[in-house]
Amino acid sequence: LVQVSMNLTDVDVTPMHVVYDAVVREAARFGVTVAESELVGLVPASAVGAAAADRLAIGGWSASRVLDSRLVDG
């Protein structure tokens, strides 16, 4: 079992699905499949939606993880 960890600092430049697809491709080169991915912390709504969460295989996905939904006007 292998874990790949990274911080994405600009999801407008490199979207999450592009990174995920790259990891899947590299793993496949070594005969490995990706079991799931994990999101630690919050993410902007523009970066991921319900369909994207399925594509990224994010375990335990919840819309409450979307940063925009947690911000309070003030």
Side-chain angles (χ1 to χ4, degrees):
L1 195 59
V2 176
Q3 179 175 337
V4 176
S5 298
M6 66 185 73
N7 294 321
L8 299 180
T9 57
D10 193 338
V11 294
D12 292 327
V13 172
T14 308
M16 292 170 42
H17 72 278
V18 170
V19 174
Y20 180 82
D21 290 347
V23 171
V24 168
R25 276 193 311 275
E26 286 300 306
R29 287 184 43 216
F30 296 94
V32 177
T33 58
V34 173
E36 71 176 15
S37 62
E38 179 182 21
L39 175 65
V40 177
L42 302 172
V43 60
S46 62
V48 66
D54 289 342
R55 179 168 181 217
L56 298 174
I58 298 173
W61 172 253
S62 165
S64 68
R65 302 291 297 277
V66 176
L67 175 62
D68 304 47
S69 69
R70 305 284 294 268
L71 297 175
V72 177
D73 290 303

